[in-house]
Amino acid sequence: MTAPPRARQITPPAIKARKGGEPIVCLTSYTASMTRLVDPHVDLILVGDSLAMTIYGMDSTVGVTLDMMIAHGRAVAKSARHACVVVDLPFGSYEESPARAFRSAARVLAETGCGAVKLEGGAEMAETIRFLTHRGVPVMAHIGLTPQSVNALGGYGVRGRGADEAASILADALAVADAGAFSVVIEKTAEPLSREISARIGIPTIGIGASVACDGQILVIDDVVGLFTEFRPKFVKRYAETAQAIEAAVAEYAADVLARRFPGPEHVFSAEAPIKKT
Ligand code: KIV
């Protein structure tokens, strides 16, 4: 059974009410231990399908399954006390029909205890967003660069630079807002378009590579703390170099084990009596 939101835990309607107000602080998290560190500082935690790369070493988000999202969603939702927890619907779990999307979203809400789901797509997903929101599923939309469509888009390039593409993404934003999404992520989208969308729609825009004009910001936690080091997108600001600290700690541990400096006397257990000779 799904527990009700904890006292003072931020809800999707509370996020929606922040439109045009104080910036909404969002980060991804995928595990219980990271969630406990992130939760006091943010308004919204996204269990993103970016876990494909950060946790599972995949090349894209296309191979993520609903079971993977539910396992991580449950760990995060159980550990968050303050932030609104949103779980990504993975590729293939919702696009086919509104009914299919509802079945997937219902599993995510019931089996994780999270507050909402996120799905990618604009005007073409409006019917599905309306279907879900009318049936008790809060939906965060995701437009601009939609990584689950990497094969169709042909890569991870910036969106909305040309007039036609910008008009189409603006239409996406208007459609998902009208369909009842409580907020919308705008990813890797030209600044003038993100600004225009943020001014035109009545729900909060959450930017990732979409400028300070958005109502809030989101980044992948592994990028923020320097855990994911293979690639650093232009829109990422790294606030710590955790990978280096972990590597140094592991190297020191290995050296201690090899030199028999670890475990020391303070790490072992004494006996209550001498061992009986057999
Ligand atoms: O999967 C994810 O982490 C995301 C964010 C990048 C918005 O969708």
Side-chain angles (χ1 to χ4, degrees):
M1 205 177 92
T2 308
R6 297 178 174 101
R8 293 197 300 279
Q9 187 158 15
I10 298 172
T11 60
I15 295 288
K16 187 175 178 187
R18 297 267 296 270
K19 175 70 188 176
E22 191 179 53
I24 302 165
V25 183
C26 314
L27 275 174
T28 68
S29 181
Y30 319 100
T31 62
S33 52
M34 188 63 87
T35 299
R36 283 192 285 270
L37 299 175
V38 165
D39 181 53
H41 304 282
V42 303
D43 301 303
L44 185 147
I45 295 175
L46 172 68
V47 187
D49 61 359
S50 50
L51 56 69
M53 286 75 100
T54 58
I55 303 277
Y56 290 96
M58 297 173 165
D59 292 332
S60 82
T61 57
V62 174
V64 174
T65 66
L66 198 56
D67 286 341
M68 286 160 78
M69 294 312 302
I70 287 172
H72 288 273
R74 188 184 295 130
V76 170
K78 194 166 187 301
S79 311
R81 299 255 161 275
H82 163 77
C84 179
V85 175
V86 179
V87 176
D88 259 343
L89 292 182
F91 179 68
S93 72
Y94 63 94
E95 300 89 335
E96 191 183 335
S97 67
R100 173 85 198 271
F102 183 80
R103 281 195 295 278
S104 298
R107 267 198 70 194
V108 169
L109 291 185
E111 294 179 36
T112 70
C114 73
V117 298
K118 176 166 80 58
L119 55 79
E120 295 184 7
E124 75 283 8
M125 293 311 300
E127 185 194 351
T128 293
I129 294 172
R130 189 168 281 109
F131 190 92
L132 294 180
T133 53
H134 283 179
R135 287 161 180 77
V137 180
V139 177
M140 183 179 213
H142 184 154
I143 60 170
L145 175 64
T146 47
Q148 292 177 7
S149 303
V150 61
N151 293 317
L153 294 173
Y156 295 103
V158 180
R159 307 298 316 281
R161 278 184 159 149
D164 287 348
E165 193 169 273
S168 155
I169 295 173
L170 175 58
D172 285 340
L174 293 167
V176 299
D178 185 58
F182 74 90
S183 63
V184 57
V185 169
I186 307 179
E187 180 163 353
K188 208 171 178 186
T189 297
E191 196 267 348
L193 175 58
S194 312
R195 193 171 286 281
E196 172 81 7
I197 292 173
S198 298
R200 290 273 295 274
I201 66 174
I203 58 172
T205 55
I206 308 297
I208 173 163
S211 93
V212 75
C214 294
D215 298 292
Q217 299 295 326
I218 188 162
L219 283 175
V220 168
I221 184 65
D222 296 55
D223 290 333
V224 170
V225 300
L227 264 179
F228 189 78
T229 51
E230 278 103 280
F231 172 65
R232 188 192 308 203
K234 176 182 160 77
F235 55 76
V236 165
K237 180 170 175 186
R238 195 175 280 174
Y239 289 83
E241 299 296 342
T242 311
Q244 286 169 14
I246 292 175
E247 259 200 284
V250 171
E252 197 178 332
Y253 165 74
D256 276 359
V257 171
L258 289 169
R260 297 192 187 282
R261 279 190 300 266
F262 177 83
E266 69 275 33
H267 302 120
V268 297
F269 304 95
S270 59
E272 284 170 355
I275 299 170
K276 285 187 186 150
K277 297 274 187 279
T278 55

